[in-house]
Amino acid sequence: MGFLNEAVAEPALWFSGLGTASQIGVVLLGIITISVVINVLKQALFRNPNEPPLVFHWFPFIGSTITYGMDPPRFFKENRAKYGDVFTFILLGKKTTVCLGTQGNEFILNGKIRDVCAEEIYTVLTTPVFGKDVVYDCPNSKLMEQKKFMKVALTTEAFRSYVPIIADEVTTYFKKSPDFKGQSGTVNIPPKLAQITIFTASHALQGKEIRDKFDESLADLYHDLDMGFSPVNFMLHWAPLPWNKRRDHAQRTVAKIYMDTIKARRERGETGSQDIMYHLMNSTYKNGVPVPDHEVAHMMIALLMAGQHSSSSTSSWIMLRLASRPDIMEELYEEQVRSLGADLPPLTYEDLAKLPLNQAIVKETLRLHAPIHSIMRAVKSPMPVPGTKYVIPTSHVLLSAPGVSATDPQYFPNPEVWDPHRWEPDSPNAPSLVRNEQDEEKIDYGYGLVSKGASSPYLPFGAGRHRCIGEQFANVQLQTIVAMIVRMFKFRNVDGSDKVIGTDYASLFSRPLEPAIIYWEKRDRA
Ligand code: HEM
């Protein structure tokens, strides 16, 4: 007994001899150790056979947040190898179930409206940035109508008018930019493509009046709006933090700029314009209510933000890939000379269809560098996973990652190789099981016909009711930007190698790490 008393008394004496800060440290360490032990025991002892396997993690709440956040595609592939296509991990305290492969894509992206919900996940981030009553701040049926208004505005006639606008913006940009003075030089390319993307998209989709404002106030305001999209805002969207205050001020100011422009356009009695703002200003919901001006303004913000990140990241990757493969950049130039004529006349919408390699460059870059690596949905009713004994409970979030099937050797031979020629039918790297959309069964969720199945391994624009409506615009924009840059420049890596920089996953949309510096040289004709 005396021995036991001594054993207890000694640590107690040691503890009371510590300073207050050290005592707090010791208590915290104790709590952490106990919670780690309980967490590990729970994983080892209480596995629910009707739920997918849980990725092993030491710390509760943090779970796998750090390994996932550092490199999501690697995280998916490593855990797919351990646990199979369906597994759960802890993301900031939330059980997040990943469903991979073509069946996983189908299960989540084509989930029924009573089972899955996008707005519950995204609204905290998007509503303070876009504004009220649009996209995820309204019932899904209203979003479907809004998507229809946007989509019907993107007609062939509209695209025909956009190509010269985009081509002209690209040429003017390089003529004016101090970074491209002289015959050759080096440049950190992603910020340049970010500017070109916003100038071309705002001019084509929102008209010249708005485009011109990007030379003045709008660029900074959009930057402040963008800060609202930091992943930390999934938790801190409400907090009176400096970046949230700037976000809210920018939202009010940008919305007012759009509303003033709408008012001015209405007063002018404008007719027959091809930009989306004009179409939305003249659209009416099924219940007979014309789209209010504040909703037009908020949709304008949403459209530009949705397109900006994805298109600017994709165009940056294209340029970095071309710098790593100058031979392919030459092939692109030769394709234009061969198909459009040696004098390279002004580019038209019809010309884009005559440039299959130019199209394949965009397609192949999106296969390897899809800007949206994780698509999330809240679970609204327990969902049995077909072909398994698992039922996903409503306490979980679902996560789809179509980028995994787009880099699966089962469908894409040598999947890690960037090979635009793989999209030619007789290529040794040609994909299997990538169906032609035209041949697929179609469904209308309220915004026009889209492919019914989501089971293609190649889905950079998503699938189902939340599928992208900007795909055709993005293709026109990206193909035009690439064609115009190829006419003006030759690129290569500064060290002449074929290396490509890594990916930055720190924001919601993945993009190249910076600085991503390339060497440029003007073609003689430029
Ligand atoms: C939705 C990708 C460009 C507007 C989506 C989704 C993906 C995607 C994967 C589905 C998101 C989900 O299911 O949660 C891309 C890529 C682009 C691109 C890779 C460019 C390379 C654009 C552009 C616009 C746009 C230029 C606008 C003109 C939208 C809209 C939605 C959407 C409105 C619907 C959101 C919903 O219904 O929840 N996009 N996008 N996107 N995108 Fe795009």
Side-chain angles (χ1 to χ4, degrees), residues 145-185:
E145 281 201 71
Q146 293 175 345
K147 284 175 77 171
K148 188 177 84 189
F149 299 147
M150 299 172 194
K151 201 173 164 190
V152 295
L154 296 168
T155 57
T156 306
E157 202 190 344
F159 290 139
R160 212 169 268 139
S161 75
Y162 293 167
V163 172
I165 292 177
I166 297 170
D168 190 50
E169 281 286 352
V170 177
T171 320
T172 313
Y173 182 86
F174 287 108
K175 268 194 202 141
K176 280 195 190 159
S177 170
D179 294 298
F180 293 91
K181 288 267 170 286
Q183 258 328 98
S184 63

Side-chain angles (χ1 to χ4, degrees), residues 149 266 280-285 287-293 295-296:
F149 299 147
R266 283 200 202 285
L280 290 175
M281 281 163 55
N282 295 289
S283 296
T284 302
Y285 286 112
N287 62 7
V289 176
V291 179
D293 286 0
E295 290 188 14
V296 178

Side-chain angles (χ1 to χ4, degrees), residues 109 118 122 135-136 140 143-144 147 150 154 201 205 276 302-312 314 362 366 369-372 374-377 402 447 459-471 473-475 477-478 509:
L109 300 179
Y122 296 131
V135 190
Y136 303 124
N140 184 267
L143 168 62
M144 295 302 115
K147 284 175 77 171
M150 299 172 194
L154 296 168
L205 297 174
I276 286 203
L303 273 180
L304 218 56
M305 300 290 286
Q308 175 61 20
H309 288 281
S310 6
S311 294
S312 125
T314 309
V362 176
L366 279 171
H369 301 289
I372 302 179
S374 303
I375 297 177
M376 308 232 195
R377 301 284 185 263
Y447 65 93
L459 295 172
F461 293 97
R465 63 178 58 245
H466 290 284
R467 194 188 195 290
C468 187
I469 47 101
E471 173 176 1
F473 175 78
N475 274 320
Q477 182 190 28
L478 290 166
F509 299 81

Side-chain angles (χ1 to χ4, degrees), residues 265-282:
R265 291 180 81 166
R266 283 200 202 285
E267 280 166 8
R268 280 204 302 271
E270 203 177 314
T271 51
S273 293
Q274 292 293 352
D275 57 86
I276 286 203
M277 180 189 257
Y278 176 81
H279 280 270
L280 290 175
M281 281 163 55
N282 295 289

Side-chain angles (χ1 to χ4, degrees), residues 418-434:
W418 181 78
D419 174 15
H421 289 292
R422 76 165 69 237
W423 296 96
E424 293 160 12
D426 48 359
S427 158
N429 284 338
S432 54
L433 247 174
V434 178

